[in-house]
């Protein structure tokens, strides 16, 4: 009987202790783990990371190559433009001087022919051009054309023959002046001799009209 009471008391104490221990080890209801299917999916997302700012300096080697190519191209373009302007300097000066020649001048054929002669000497060796006159001079003017032009060749022949006339025909002035202008525009002028002084250096635009005609050789 006594042993039965002890057993009952021990069992009662054991159950009481186990219940208290289990109660203490169990988390509160608000801290109970949430089943995976009930978790918030947005909570699994990470924060957005902004990429670091890209610096343009120092430049990559490819950019240096591109810059070098552009600078080289600009330099070549500059050289080409300046060479073109320098080559056409005497031609432009001759066209400007041509406008100052009029039929009222006493010996306009010599003035027109002088423009051709001095322009040619700006591009060709002086010894090749200076001594040419008459048919030889006409042949040179014709050979310098880029393409054959029978009308222009005939008009140049008229100018060359008019140079030797004591009294030129005023009606031939426009034809001869047009021939000079066409030749200046169509002549194939070499680049191996620079026109540094241009036709102005020959003295055509220096002094009075009377002095120009007096100094000009009759067979120029």
């Amino acid at each position: 009987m006594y042993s039965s009471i002890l057993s009952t008391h021990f069992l009662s104490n054991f159950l009481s202790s186990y219940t208290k221990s289990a109660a203490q080890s169990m988390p509160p209801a608000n801290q109970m783990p949430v089943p995976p299917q009930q978790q918030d999916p947005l909570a699994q997302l990470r924060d957005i990371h902004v990429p670091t700012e890209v610096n343009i300096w120092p430049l990559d080697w490819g950019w240096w190559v591109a810059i070098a190519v552009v600078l080289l191209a600009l330099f070549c373009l500059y050289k080409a433009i300046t060479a073109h302007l320098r080559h056409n300097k005497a031609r432009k000066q001759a066209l400007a001087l041509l406008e100052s020649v009029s039929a009222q001048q006493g010996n306009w054929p010599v003035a027109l022919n002088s423009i051709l002669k001095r322009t040619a000497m700006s591009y060709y060796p002086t010894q090749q051009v200076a001594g040419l006159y008459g048919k030889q001079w006409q042949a040179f003017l014709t050979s310098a054309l880029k393409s054959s032009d029978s009308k222009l060749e005939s008009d140049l022949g008229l100018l060359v023959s008019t140079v030797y006339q004591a009294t030129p025909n005023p009606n031939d002035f426009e034809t001869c002046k047009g021939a000079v202008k066409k030749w200046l525009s169509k002549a194939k002028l070499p680049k191996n001799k620079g026109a540094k002084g241009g036709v102005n250096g020959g003295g055509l635009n220096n002094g009075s009209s009377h002095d120009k005609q007096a100094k000009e050789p009759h067979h120029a």
Side-chain angles (χ1 to χ4, degrees):
M1 177 79 178
Y2 181 74
S3 59
S4 176
I5 293 172
L6 287 176
S7 299
T8 303
H9 180 71
F10 176 78
L11 182 62
S12 175
N13 289 337
F14 176 77
L15 291 175
S16 176
S17 298
Y18 177 78
T19 302
K20 289 181 180 180
S21 176
Q24 290 175 357
S25 61
M26 183 177 295
N30 58 350
Q31 296 182 3
M32 293 293 289
V34 181
Q37 62 270 22
Q38 296 182 7
Q39 290 181 1
D40 184 7
L42 297 178
Q44 304 297 325
L45 297 178
R46 296 182 179 180
D47 291 338
I48 298 175
H49 294 280
V50 181
T52 56
E53 185 179 353
V54 179
N55 264 334
I56 64 172
W57 193 266
L59 295 177
D60 189 62
W61 67 269
W63 284 108
W64 287 113
V65 172
I67 292 172
V69 170
V70 171
L71 291 177
L72 180 61
L74 290 176
F75 177 75
C76 292
L77 179 62
Y78 167 78
K79 294 291 288 184
I81 292 175
T82 52
H84 176 75
L85 294 175
R86 186 167 55 250
H87 176 255
N88 285 289
K89 180 180 178 180
R91 192 199 304 261
K92 287 188 175 181
Q93 288 177 348
L95 289 170
L97 289 174
L98 183 62
E99 296 305 316
S100 66
V101 181
S102 65
Q104 283 69 40
Q105 291 181 223
N107 202 359
W108 56 261
V110 173
L112 294 177
N113 196 63
S114 294
I115 293 176
L116 290 177
K117 180 65 70 72
R118 299 180 195 286
T119 304
M121 287 192 298
S122 296
Y123 292 96
Y124 292 88
T126 303
Q127 63 273 19
Q128 178 185 349
V129 178
L132 296 178
Y133 62 95
K135 292 295 183 181
Q136 291 180 342
W137 173 234
Q138 182 181 347
F140 171 83
L141 293 174
T142 301
S143 65
L145 295 175
K146 295 178 183 178
S147 58
S148 179
D149 188 332
S150 57
K151 175 66 167 59
L152 177 55
E153 293 172 12
S154 175
D155 292 345
L156 288 171
L158 175 63
L159 171 61
V160 172
S161 63
T162 306
V163 170
Y164 301 99
Q165 295 178 7
T167 307
N169 185 358
N171 296 329
D172 294 334
F173 174 76
E174 291 298 334
T175 302
C176 294
K177 184 177 180 179
V180 174
K181 188 173 185 178
K182 271 190 176 182
W183 188 90
L184 292 172
S185 301
K186 294 188 175 184
K188 186 177 182 181
L189 303 175
K191 296 182 180 181
N192 57 350
K193 180 179 179 181
K196 294 182 180 178
V199 293
N200 292 341
L204 184 60
N205 65 335
N206 297 324
S208 65
S209 173
H210 176 75
D211 293 336
K212 295 171 191 175
Q213 296 165 10
K215 293 179 181 179
E216 185 65 38
H218 192 62
H219 59 76

